[in-house]
Structure formats: structure tokens, C-alpha cells
Amino acid sequence: FHYSALAKAVTCAGLPIKSDRPIYVIFDTGTTGLSLSRDLYEEAFASTRQPSTPALSKGKSPWSDVRVTFTTNDGRVQELRAKNPISLPVDVPWRDFQDKYSLVVVGLSFLEGSVLTIDTTTSQLEIAQVNVPPEKPGTIDPKNCEQSYRFGEAERKLCKLDA
């Protein structure tokens, strides 16, 4: 079972990745870094290799700062970000999909500092950005939640966990 969203924007090394097709984002906790459909991977690589690209002059790879922005079911715009994720192209095997859409698969490097909750009864995914105080590693306190959002109808308080 995959959880996904339609991307509003994907940027690599500060440069927008352009696609003439809608880009779907799959949230995959079995993935460490980032996989992109081959068209997006090649676009990201090519755009950071132009002589005038600021990222190239600073010695950054296309993957030095990757941001994926999407809209939740309740209409809020959210961004997930990763620094230097392992990034690979993927040839999407779904024929009906590959002709109409591009794909970005984000893994655990994009979820660092977050709490991920999957409600199997409603098939909804929740992500909460959390600040864990250094003096209490493994403890998640509600007052440390910066934001939470739900891919569904209702938002719930997430940060009620205690390790």
C-alpha cells in the first residue's frame, strides 16, 4: 500500500525541476533516500550542470538540498526536505502511469525529525514535524510539535508518544 500526493514543486540544489507532466510523490518508509522517474532525474542533473548554475559554482551536487512541496487533503501546502539523500533514477514500470505522470519517491531521509502515523482503518497517513529536546532523547512531548498535518478529513494531535 502506498501513500501519495500530487507535488506542487520539486527543487534540487535550489533549482526547480520542470516537468510537462504532473509529478506524484510516494512516501515510502522502505526507501532511504530519493528515487525519481528518469525524466526528472535527468532534468535535475542537467539543470545543475549549466555554467551559470550557482549550485555548481559552490561545488554542490544536484542532491545537496532536495525539497518536495505538496498539498494535503485539507488544502495546506507542506514541504519535506532532505540534505544529500541517496538519489537514484527509476524506470516506472506502470505503462499507463509513465506516459502521463512523473514520479518522486521520498524515503526516510525526508522524514527525519518527524513522526509518521498510518491509520490502517482509514488508510490515512499523518506526518508531524517534531523537535525533541536534546536532554530527553526518545521522548516526544506535545508542546514540542511544530506542525502536524493529515492526509484526510480531520487533524489529530500526534505527539503523545513517550519512549
Side-chain angles (χ1 to χ4, degrees), residues 65-92:
D65 181 20
V66 180
R67 299 171 189 232
V68 179
T69 308
F70 54 93
T71 304
T72 63
N73 284 352
D74 61 4
R76 287 184 284 160
V77 175
Q78 299 295 330
E79 177 182 85
L80 293 177
R81 179 180 180 184
K83 297 274 190 184
N84 298 307
I86 297 169
S87 303
L88 299 169
V90 62
D91 293 315
V92 180

Side-chain angles (χ1 to χ4, degrees), residues 127-144:
I127 302 171
Q129 304 294 323
V130 178
N131 275 334
V132 177
E135 65 276 5
K136 294 185 174 183
T139 300
I140 300 170
D141 187 327
K143 62 184 170 228
N144 292 324

Side-chain angles (χ1 to χ4, degrees), residues 104-130:
V104 172
V105 181
V106 297
L108 292 175
S109 59
F110 286 85
L111 300 171
E112 188 174 341
S114 301
V115 173
L116 181 84
T117 304
I118 298 174
D119 184 338
T120 58
T121 58
T122 62
S123 297
Q124 300 297 306
L125 171 93
E126 290 182 76
I127 302 171
Q129 304 294 323
V130 178

